[in-house]
Amino acid sequence: MERFAGQTVIVTGAAHGFGRAIAHAFAWEGANVWACDVNTEGLGETARLVYHDGLTVHTRAVDVGDAAAVGAFVSEVVAETGRIDVLVNNAGGVRGQVGRPIEEISPADWQAIFAVNVDGAFFFAQAVAPQMKERRSGRIINISSGAGLGISLTGIQAYASAKAAQIGLTRQLAHELGAWGITVNNVAPGFVRSNPTTERQWDSYGEEGQRKLIDAIALKRLGTPEDIANAVLFFASEGAGWITGQVLSVDGGK
């Protein structure tokens, strides 16, 4: 069943992990997918994997923290397709940083994490809003983290703060845009081995730490990128038409 046939979907941060799985899932369900990232090599691999299944995804190199670049990309998508039905703000992460004492965090380090996790979500929502308002329909799904609801396992202050801010943005935009039939929701993943950063994090725990992490999960297993993609597709579906401003923890149960 192609639930999203004829719909145009933008997925940010699609070079690997959640973004790749989300882009692939929407393509499989018939959507016209436009995927972006700054990691062009990974983005190319996403395209190859999608094409391997006989599907199509359009890819572009876009820095989500650059408002002008975001606007240009969204304008291109609208010019080509005439519509944007779904925006998935997945781009994020820790930008190569590790946990350090607060005294050691520079303004540049702090801002770098906010730029990709919060600014990018804001710039993309701002860019797609006029077209969605005109059509009086749209879905915006932000990908946060369990860190935004609690604390960061890595101890990165900016990451926990940025994800919490993104959740606040989700709720605010839901109320602002709801009058035009636009829903805005948030998926908060638990720990998933989905990219090089999470692989390094997993390895750093050692066998005992890995066992403790899994034992703390109700379902006693780690999640997969596909688990996150399934939640995103639900929020984008007709079945979620009266759900907005919500945060769905996809973490195996805590």
Side-chain angles (χ1 to χ4, degrees):
M1 180 177 65
E2 295 188 341
R3 287 182 291 173
F4 301 98
Q7 294 193 28
T8 297
V9 177
I10 291 176
V11 181
T12 72
H16 52 58
F18 299 158
R20 176 177 290 171
I22 292 165
H24 203 152
F26 272 114
W28 189 261
E29 294 262 15
N32 182 8
V33 180
W34 291 71
C36 68
D37 206 298
V38 292
N39 179 351
T40 55
E41 183 177 352
L43 201 56
E45 180 62 17
T46 295
R48 285 190 290 274
L49 290 170
V50 172
Y51 293 154
H52 184 266
D53 283 348
L55 306 169
T56 301
V57 59
H58 308 277
T59 60
R60 297 290 186 273
V62 179
D63 178 356
V64 301
D66 182 339
V70 169
F73 174 58
V74 169
S75 294
E76 179 187 2
V77 176
V78 173
E80 290 289 331
T81 69
R83 59 192 293 165
I84 297 173
D85 298 276
V86 181
L87 164 65
V88 183
N89 282 312
N90 169 73
V94 300
R95 303 298 291 267
Q97 297 184 40
V98 297
R100 292 170 291 157
I102 189 170
E103 299 94 327
E104 298 179 15
I105 310 303
S106 70
D109 289 340
W110 176 268
Q111 292 297 334
I113 289 179
F114 265 77
V116 68
N117 289 282
V118 185
D119 296 355
F122 175 79
F123 293 150
F124 261 97
Q126 186 178 52
V128 304
Q131 201 278 331
M132 287 185 174
K133 283 183 174 181
E134 183 179 344
R135 297 184 58 250
R136 302 192 69 81
S137 176
R139 299 279 196 269
I140 298 175
I141 301 113
N142 298 322
I143 310 298
S144 61
S145 167
L149 295 168
I151 61 170
S152 168
L153 294 177
T154 59
I156 300 174
Q157 304 89 343
Y159 185 70
S161 301
K163 288 306 189 183
Q166 192 203 71
I167 289 170
L169 178 65
T170 297
R171 292 173 175 147
Q172 191 65 37
L173 291 181
H175 280 268
E176 178 179 342
L177 301 177
W180 287 272
I182 303 165
T183 67
V184 188
N185 289 294
N186 197 293
V187 174
F191 182 78
V192 179
R193 296 170 62 185
S194 60
N195 56 50
T197 298
T198 53
E199 284 298 321
R200 289 191 295 271
Q201 185 178 345
W202 175 252
D203 290 342
S204 74
Y205 294 150
E207 288 188 15
E208 183 178 355
Q210 293 168 4
R211 184 173 62 254
K212 286 182 178 179
L213 191 153
I214 292 175
D215 284 346
I217 299 172
L219 291 176
K220 307 305 179 188
R221 72 167 178 87
L222 295 181
T224 67
E226 288 71 28
D227 289 321
I228 309 308
N230 288 337
V232 171
L233 264 65
F234 165 67
F235 274 141
S237 71
E238 290 186 7
W242 206 50
I243 300 172
T244 196
Q246 301 305 304
V247 182
L248 176 61
S249 293
V250 183
D251 58 11
K254 293 295 182 69

